[in-house]
Amino acid sequence: MPISDAETPLIEDTVDGCVDYNGRPVNRSGSGGWRSAYFIITVEMAERFAYYGISSNLISYLTGPMGQSTAAAAENVNAWSGTTMVLPLIGAFLADSFLGRYRTIVAASVIYVLGLGLLTLSAMLPSSSYSDCQNTNEMTSCSPYTLQVILFFFSLYLVALGQGGHKPCVQAFGADQFDKLDPEECKARSSFFNWWYFGLCGGTIFTVSILNYIQDNLNWGLGFGLPCISMAIALIVFLLGTKSYRYSIKGDEKNPCVRIGRVFVAAVRNRRTTPSAIALEEETRGTLPHQGSEQFKFLNKALLAPDGSKEYGMVCSFSEVEEAKAIIGLGPIWATSLMYAIVFAQTSTFFTKQGFTMDRSVTPGFNIPASSLQSFISLASVLSIPIYDRILVPVARGFTQKPAGITMLQRIGIGMFLSVIAMVIAALVEMKRLETAKEYGLIDEPNVTVPMSVCWLIPQYTLFGVADVFTMVGLQEFFYDQVPTELRSVGLSLYLSIFGFGSYLSSFLISAIDKATGGHGHTSWFADNLNRGHLDYFYWLLAGFSGIEIILYLFFAKSYIYNRASVI
């Protein structure tokens, strides 16, 4: 007997392009969304606690138990920090091309925990030479055992390797839990990037305020052991959410990186192809005029075989060409964001250096650690994100009718503008500090506290925290959204690489200026005696460069063509 319409079971609302952990079509109401995102945001908080538990105080360990000079320690910190931001390019490539994001996260987390465990072990190894160095003037006695040094640096870069696979994949996997084709989930995905950064900053505040104290005043073994425990817990939490996740289906198409690479190779081979031949080919294929086709037209040459034939495997499809254009179109935005990364790098170096010279007393006998002022960046971000997500976005949405209120590029640009203001404030505060030192006759007294409260530095830290809510979160969403679906981990690794190369460029700029201003008997802008240096000149220079950057950024942002209409 036929089943009546009333008895016909309702078709489940499945999500296109996704499956569950068993490889079956995934039900929308029973998977993904915030249900899965909460697991992933918790993992990010634990991972950031682990990462900043190492990076925020690494220079203290290198100049202490490792017995390195300040210059050598700074070089090692910069090299390691830059590496941690560049390695995600490799991790993301492996995830998007071969392993998949879930398996890459699990494998990277295991490496991460192993690296932290070995790092803890290296800190716990007996180092009699270090304890003896407090009682002797011989520099050789302050050096730890060779085995300890080798184990430490091996562990440190093992952590960088684990972080390189973990960082871009977790965020991409979290955003994958929201269907961009569903109006409500599209809005939620934009909020996910905000609350992701909220969790990141929350983990950072706890690290700076608690863990650094443990490392400096109690025990380095415990100080490194707690991040190891935190990362192990993060792995467990991630595995607990396995059944709730949505997993993107990997199609039968060629490897996405190979597919896009073929377009560039074919375009070069066809570099002598005439525009009329390309137009004829598009007309033959029935390709309609497309706004994106007007950009990077030279890639359209990949639509033809080198000899004009249609030999299989030699001709790229229109969609492959558009994917390649999407990737190359990110270049100008990536390049014009580098100055923001250079400016941001100063918050953990020269801003802290300023704080050491100023009055940091809260009560008699208790001074605020200069490095703890970095917590105001995270605190400002934590306070700004709910305001942005719950107030500014809905209000802007009412005017623009865009799911995210404003476009991603507009958001990034606002943050860049705020960073310029922050550098101007930093320059003015440094000018005030130098005037105060001169007024009290402290120009040649670098070890005497300048009678000026360290609270003068809070505005510049706070403004950077607000700028991060716009620029950093905007860059994360932009580089996730504007790449082909299969390359979203690579997209986020490109975002991270901005700050990796920014760190390298910051070191190069400082070195060049130091040599240029410190020669022939002149005092360098970065003199050890900051009262004779001129950090204010450096800050004005960065503010000027940032202003030029914004002009270039606005030019490229205005001409940028979004690849997904839903985001604009």
Side-chain angles (χ1 to χ4, degrees):
M1 183 176 68
I3 300 175
S4 65
D5 291 341
E7 296 174 312
T8 302
L10 294 174
I11 299 176
E12 293 184 347
D13 184 15
T14 57
V15 181
D16 291 337
C18 294
V19 295
D20 64 12
Y21 71 104
N22 284 322
R24 299 172 300 194
V26 66
N27 181 266
R28 185 183 303 277
S29 61
S31 68
W34 287 110
R35 176 190 298 101
S36 299
Y38 288 138
F39 281 104
I40 297 170
I41 290 175
T42 301
V43 168
E44 174 64 7
M45 292 180 68
E47 189 275 333
R48 289 293 89 183
F49 173 80
Y51 176 77
Y52 283 109
I54 305 302
S55 65
S56 64
N57 213 19
L58 180 58
I59 194 168
S60 297
Y61 187 76
L62 291 174
T63 54
M66 288 288 103
Q68 294 188 348
S69 67
T70 301
E75 290 175 4
N76 280 316
V77 170
N78 285 330
W80 182 76
S81 297
T83 301
T84 60
M85 292 298 182
V86 173
L87 277 178
L89 289 169
I90 299 175
F93 169 76
L94 293 175
D96 288 345
S97 300
F98 304 104
L99 299 177
R101 289 167 196 145
Y102 178 84
R103 284 191 290 269
T104 302
I105 293 169
V106 173
S109 296
V110 172
I111 295 173
Y112 212 140
V113 173
L114 177 61
L116 290 169
L118 292 175
L119 198 65
T120 303
L121 177 62
S122 73
M124 295 174 66
L125 288 176
S127 181
S128 58
S129 55
Y130 172 63
S131 62
D132 291 341
C133 79
Q134 297 176 342
N135 303 315
T136 181
N137 292 325
E138 294 182 17
M139 292 300 294
T140 55
S141 65
C142 292
S143 300
Y145 296 125
T146 302
L147 176 61
Q148 185 179 14
V149 174
I150 293 174
L151 179 60
F152 172 78
F153 280 102
F154 173 77
S155 306
L156 194 64
Y157 279 89
L158 198 61
V159 169
L161 181 62
Q163 198 263 355
H166 188 279
K167 182 64 177 174
C169 297
V170 168
Q171 190 171 8
F173 190 69
D176 287 346
Q177 306 308 308
F178 300 92
D179 182 8
K180 70 180 181 66
L181 299 180
D182 181 85
E184 292 302 317
E185 290 198 19
C186 182
K187 294 178 183 179
R189 191 185 69 177
S190 183
S191 292
F192 166 77
F193 284 96
N194 294 330
W195 292 105
W196 169 273
Y197 200 70
F198 180 91
L200 183 154
C201 293
T204 304
I205 291 174
F206 185 74
T207 301
V208 173
S209 59
I210 303 296
L211 196 56
N212 287 358
Y213 177 85
I214 293 174
Q215 292 171 342
D216 288 339
N217 297 280
L218 297 179
N219 183 277
W220 280 101
L222 179 61
F224 288 153
L226 289 175
C228 181
I229 295 172
S230 173
M231 196 60 216
I233 292 174
L235 175 57
I236 294 172
V237 170
F238 182 73
L239 293 174
L240 288 175
T242 297
K243 292 185 178 181
S244 73
Y245 299 144
R246 295 173 183 173
Y247 302 85
S248 298
I249 299 175
K250 203 168 183 63
D252 297 329
E253 300 91 353
K254 301 181 182 70
N255 180 298
C257 294
V258 173
R259 192 169 67 233
I260 292 173
R262 285 179 64 247
V263 175
F264 291 102
V265 172
V268 171
R269 287 178 175 175
N270 290 346
R271 57 187 178 277
R272 296 178 182 176
T273 302
T274 62
S276 59
I278 298 174
L280 179 61
E281 177 64 20
E282 290 179 339
E283 182 180 350
T284 301
R285 297 192 186 194
T287 303
L288 295 175
H290 185 269
Q291 193 176 21
S293 296
E294 296 304 312
Q295 288 191 319
F296 313 115
K297 282 186 175 181
F298 68 92
L299 290 179
N300 290 351
K301 296 179 179 181
L303 295 171
L304 295 172
D307 58 358
S309 67
K310 304 297 182 185
E311 182 182 349
Y312 178 75
M314 297 297 292
V315 178
C316 298
S317 68
F318 181 77
S319 62
E320 290 173 342
V321 172
E322 290 303 308
E323 284 181 340
K325 289 181 179 182
I327 294 296
I328 200 173
L330 299 176
I333 304 300
W334 186 93
T336 51
S337 298
L338 284 173
M339 194 62 218
Y340 181 88
I342 293 173
V343 168
F344 184 78
Q346 313 315 314
T347 61
S348 60
T349 53
F350 290 127
F351 282 16
T352 302
K353 197 76 171 168
Q354 284 177 281
F356 274 117
T357 69
M358 302 169 75
D359 182 10
R360 296 177 282 119
S361 61
V362 178
T363 59
F366 179 75
N367 291 335
I368 301 174
S371 60
S372 68
L373 290 177
Q374 296 176 47
S375 64
F376 281 98
I377 297 177
S378 298
L379 183 61
S381 297
V382 166
L383 295 177
S384 300
I385 286 173
I387 296 173
Y388 178 87
D389 192 70
R390 299 303 181 188
I391 299 177
L392 295 182
V393 169
V395 170
R397 189 181 292 149
F399 287 99
T400 65
Q401 303 302 313
K402 302 180 189 300
I406 58 177
T407 68
M408 292 174 284
L409 291 177
Q410 288 171 341
R411 180 175 186 172
I412 295 167
I414 291 171
M416 288 181 174
F417 177 74
L418 292 176
S419 73
V420 175
I421 298 177
M423 290 312 299
V424 170
I425 292 175
L428 293 173
V429 169
E430 177 61 7
M431 291 174 65
K432 172 67 175 176
R433 193 192 67 80
L434 291 173
E435 289 176 3
T436 303
K438 183 177 181 180
E439 179 183 349
Y440 284 86
L442 301 176
I443 295 297
D444 294 314
E445 300 290 339
N447 297 323
V448 177
T449 300
V450 176
M452 178 177 173
S453 174
V454 75
C455 293
W456 280 78
L457 298 179
I458 292 178
Q460 62 201 58
Y461 277 108
T462 302
L463 202 54
F464 261 110
V466 178
D468 284 353
V469 171
F470 286 90
T471 297
M472 280 199 176
V473 181
L475 285 170
Q476 290 171 14
E477 186 175 4
F478 178 78
F479 279 93
Y480 170 86
D481 191 85
Q482 294 298 293
V483 297
T485 302
E486 304 96 326
L487 291 176
R488 283 174 171 170
S489 296
V490 171
L492 285 173
S493 69
L494 287 172
Y495 146 72
L496 293 171
S497 70
I498 291 173
F499 294 90
F501 284 100
S503 178
Y504 292 140
L505 289 173
S506 176
S507 296
F508 171 78
L509 185 62
I510 291 169
S511 177
I513 293 175
D514 184 49
K515 292 179 180 178
T517 61
H520 306 292
H522 296 287
T523 302
S524 168
W525 288 4
F526 314 118
D528 290 337
N529 178 4
L530 284 188
N531 297 336
R532 283 202 169 274
H534 273 292
L535 285 182
D536 54 334
Y537 292 173
F538 182 56
Y539 292 160
W540 284 119
L541 181 66
L542 292 183
F545 283 163
S546 296
I548 296 173
E549 172 206 39
I550 290 179
I551 295 174
L552 294 173
Y553 172 82
L554 291 176
F555 172 79
F556 289 114
K558 185 177 180 180
S559 61
Y560 184 81
I561 298 173
Y562 285 92
N563 296 315
R564 295 177 177 82
S566 60
V567 300
I568 59 172

